[in-house]
């Protein structure tokens, strides 16, 4: 079976200020120099993530990334440090990895990447290593800083072990087909941080949305006389019916009502008891939820899935008004996130309005929502004035309510993928 080694590049560290600083900090911390470096990019969802419902997404790697300096050691000690003083050092035995799932601590994301590779290859003994982590992706902003750290840690572990992942296994990890989409050349994407952090690992909002989508899928399946108890995702209903997304929106109109459902009504629709609902369907963190907005969530998911396909089609056909058409899809997406999925917040809505006011053809929240960043598509010739005006209108508030270190407004182009860097 063909294998793919991670992309590797030799670099002159002295010519890269960030790498050089990381090397010096590593030497100060561990008294040695790194043997190699690994980087993995953040990403921005141009059209929103509905992958947990079984549908395609449209992410773009950004230039911001996580960078790790690594030195394998001859002991079993795993020592993790971070250039950001907010994240404390952590050490453990590489052969006794324990992940506390109740606490979203930074080092747990590294341990997840390491443990994933360990379990994949069925390894019992891992070598120790010293690692210094540096990241310039704003945390809890919807730009996948935690995912980048997990990917980086996995690549670190692969490199230390001298292992490769087969193409087949890479697909097995994430059974989604990847297709390149050529983005418009006359526009740039601008990321703006709302400065509101929402840690989805520590709140119930995200979990409730996932469960509402699951319940909506089951009620739609029951309405269409499918085997609803086996259905988990909205995409499965469409696939089993063999109809279009537009037709699924019509089915949703017929099968579900806009008024919120309570647990008792869901039980009546499915013909089950409250106890069965709680123990067989609801997750522990949604068992006390009193209302579920199934109609709104299903409408958002099916319409968003259609927007992803429309976005791709427009990029492929490249009409003259391409930027305008793509911008309209982004605007529709934000309205749906705000009104139907209810994963926005006042600050995100304000930031989106400001971005549109100062020249963005399209602007929307990105990531899980309830805070984090917006992504805007801006004509290239309007970029300097756009950045200046948005900075003044949103970040330079008279009340001084935004912490300067959280302010983040930058243009980005599609970034490169994960990479192993060796000093030349």
């Amino acid at each position: 079976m063909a294998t793919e080694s991670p992309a590797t590049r030799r670099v002159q560290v002295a010519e890269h200020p960030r790498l050089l600083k990381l090397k010096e900090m590593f030497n100060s911390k561990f008294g040695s120099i790194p043997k190699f470096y690994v980087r993995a990019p953040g990403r921005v969802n141009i059209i929103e993530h509905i992958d947990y419902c079984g549908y395609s997404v449209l992410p773009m790697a950004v230039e911001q990334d996580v960078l790790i300096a690594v030195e394998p050691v001859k002991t079993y000690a795993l020592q993790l440090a971070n250039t950001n003083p907010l994240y404390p050092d952590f050490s453990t035995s590489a052969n006794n990895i324990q992940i506390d799932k109740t606490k979203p601590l930074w080092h747990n994301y590294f341990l997840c990447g390491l443990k994933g590779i360990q379990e994949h290859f069925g390894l019992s003994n891992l070598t120790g290593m010293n690692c210094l982590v540096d990241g310039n992706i704003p945390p809890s902003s919807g730009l996948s800083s935690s995912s980048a750290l997990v990917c980086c840690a996995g690549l670190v572990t692969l490199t230390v072990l001298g292992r490769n992942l087969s193409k087949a296994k890479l697909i097995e990890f994430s059974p989604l087909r990847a297709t390149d989409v050529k983005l418009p050349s006359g526009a740039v994407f601008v990321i703006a941080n709302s400065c509101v952090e929402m840690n989805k690992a520590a709140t119930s909002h995200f979990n409730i949305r996932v469960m509402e989508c699951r319940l909506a899928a089951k009620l739609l399946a029951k309405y269409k006389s499918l085997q609803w108890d086996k259905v988990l995702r909205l995409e499965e209903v469409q696939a089993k019916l063999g109809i279009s997304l537009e037709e699924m929106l019509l089915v949703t109109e017929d099968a579900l009502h806009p008024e919120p459902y309570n647990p008792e009504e869901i039980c009546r629709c499915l013909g089950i008891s409250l106890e069965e609902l709680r123990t067989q369907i609801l997750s522990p963190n949604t068992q006390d939820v009193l209302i579920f907005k199934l109609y709104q969530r299903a409408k958002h998911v099916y319409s968003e899935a259609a927007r992803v396909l429309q976005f791709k089609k427009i990029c492929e056909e490249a009409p003259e008004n391409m930027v305008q058409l793509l911008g309209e899809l982004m605007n529709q997406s934000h309205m749906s996130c705000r009104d139907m999925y209810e994963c926005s917040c006042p600050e995100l809505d304000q930031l989106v309005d400001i971005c549109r006011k100062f020249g963005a053809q399209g602007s929307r929240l990105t990531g899980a929502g309830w805070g984090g960043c917006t992504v805007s598509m801006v004509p290239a010739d309007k970029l300097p004035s756009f950045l200046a005006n948005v900075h003044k209108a949103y970040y330079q508030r008279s009340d001084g309510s935004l912490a300067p270190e959280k302010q983040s407004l930058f243009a980005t182009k599609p970034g490169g993928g994960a990479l192993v860097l060796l000093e030349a």
Side-chain angles (χ1 to χ4, degrees):
M1 181 181 292
T3 62
E4 280 196 338
S5 299
T8 302
R9 182 182 303 165
R10 291 195 172 271
V11 294
Q12 295 286 348
V13 170
E15 297 176 1
H16 298 270
R18 186 170 165 218
L19 275 177
L20 181 60
K21 183 179 179 182
L22 187 62
K23 178 182 177 180
E24 292 170 348
M25 292 180 71
F26 188 98
N27 188 27
S28 176
K29 181 75 178 176
F30 298 112
S32 55
I33 61 171
K35 291 294 186 290
F36 64 91
Y37 306 82
V38 170
R39 63 90 61 180
R43 69 176 186 268
V44 59
N45 285 307
I46 300 172
I47 297 286
E48 204 37 57
H49 71 72
I50 43 175
D51 46 315
Y52 52 85
C53 293
Y55 284 109
S56 302
V57 292
L58 222 163
M60 179 183 82
V62 297
E63 295 167 292
Q64 288 67 26
D65 60 16
V66 168
L67 185 62
I68 304 180
V70 187
E71 178 196 24
V73 296
K74 294 182 179 180
T75 68
Y76 294 123
L78 172 64
Q79 296 194 81
L80 305 178
N82 200 302
T83 59
N84 187 332
L86 292 176
Y87 303 125
D89 294 357
F90 175 81
S91 62
T92 188
S93 168
N95 292 327
N96 186 30
I97 302 297
Q98 301 293 326
I99 301 173
D100 185 351
K101 297 178 182 179
T102 66
K103 297 178 181 178
L105 301 172
W106 80 272
H107 61 259
N108 283 341
Y109 295 101
F110 185 101
L111 296 180
C112 283
L114 184 151
K115 199 169 181 67
I117 297 300
Q118 181 186 25
E119 292 178 353
H120 174 72
F121 287 107
L123 303 174
S124 56
N125 293 319
L126 289 179
T127 184
M129 59 183 108
N130 297 329
C131 298
L132 180 60
V133 177
D134 181 64
N136 56 14
I137 309 169
S140 300
S141 63
L143 299 181
S144 299
S145 58
S146 55
S147 296
L149 180 53
V150 172
C151 291
C152 229
L155 190 47
V156 164
T157 309
L158 281 172
T159 306
V160 167
L161 295 173
R163 300 274 187 140
N164 299 320
L165 284 177
S166 72
K167 290 182 179 179
K169 290 298 182 183
L170 280 170
I171 294 170
E172 185 178 288
F173 280 161
S174 183
L176 298 174
R177 183 168 54 92
T179 305
D180 289 338
V181 175
K182 185 174 175 58
L183 297 170
S185 58
V188 294
F189 290 93
V190 177
I191 311 299
N193 195 339
S194 70
C195 301
V196 176
E197 290 190 8
M198 198 294 289
N199 190 329
K200 69 172 180 279
T203 65
S204 62
H205 298 300
F206 185 81
N207 296 322
I208 292 172
R209 292 299 177 276
V210 173
M211 183 52 63
E212 286 174 319
C213 291
R214 179 169 297 184
L215 291 169
K218 290 183 179 298
L219 263 67
L220 288 169
K222 179 70 182 294
Y223 177 80
K224 297 301 286 186
S225 301
L226 301 175
Q227 192 176 357
W228 64 267
D229 57 319
K230 302 294 184 184
V231 169
L232 297 177
R233 303 183 301 182
L234 286 163
E235 185 273 338
E236 294 173 49
V237 182
Q238 182 199 0
K240 290 178 185 299
L241 294 176
I243 61 178
S244 68
L245 288 163
E246 290 72 21
E247 289 172 309
M248 277 309 310
L249 286 166
L250 295 176
V251 171
T252 301
E253 291 284 351
D254 292 338
L256 304 175
H257 55 67
E259 297 77 26
Y261 289 74
N262 59 36
E264 290 77 13
E265 183 177 7
I266 292 171
C267 289
R268 288 196 299 272
C269 291
L270 297 179
I272 60 175
S273 67
L274 273 171
E275 181 64 18
E276 289 172 316
L277 176 67
R278 287 175 57 84
T279 60
Q280 297 179 21
I281 299 177
L282 297 181
S283 56
N285 46 26
T286 59
Q287 289 180 353
D288 296 324
V289 177
L290 299 178
I291 61 168
F292 298 93
K293 296 186 177 181
L294 308 188
Y295 168 87
Q296 290 84 351
R297 309 321 181 212
K299 288 272 286 188
H300 169 73
V301 169
Y302 288 130
S303 64
E304 193 79 338
R307 280 187 285 272
V308 171
L309 298 180
Q310 290 164 12
F311 198 102
K312 177 176 179 287
K313 184 170 184 285
I314 292 169
C315 287
E316 289 171 345
E317 296 176 352
E320 286 188 10
N321 60 341
M322 178 180 182
V323 173
Q324 177 190 341
L325 294 175
L326 297 178
E328 288 172 358
L329 289 175
M330 293 174 70
N331 293 336
Q332 291 169 17
S333 174
H334 183 78
M335 285 188 287
S336 185
C337 287
R338 181 192 66 201
D339 300 335
M340 302 303 284
Y341 213 60
E342 296 180 282
C343 63
S344 189
C345 67
E347 293 85 355
L348 281 172
D349 294 338
Q350 180 190 16
L351 188 51
V352 162
D353 289 343
I354 288 171
C355 289
R356 291 177 188 164
K357 176 182 177 181
F358 290 115
Q361 286 289 315
S363 186
R364 60 179 303 280
L365 66 84
T366 188
W370 298 283
C373 290
T374 63
V375 55
S376 301
M377 187 164 57
V378 181
D381 59 348
K382 293 184 178 180
L383 180 61
S385 62
F386 174 85
L387 293 173
N389 286 324
V390 172
H391 186 269
K392 182 177 180 181
Y394 188 78
Y395 296 99
Q396 292 182 338
R397 295 182 183 178
S398 58
D399 61 3
S401 61
L402 299 184
E405 68 272 10
K406 291 183 181 178
Q407 294 181 21
S408 191
L409 175 69
F410 56 89
T412 187
K413 57 186 178 182
L419 196 64
V420 177
L421 301 171
L422 302 173
E423 186 163 6

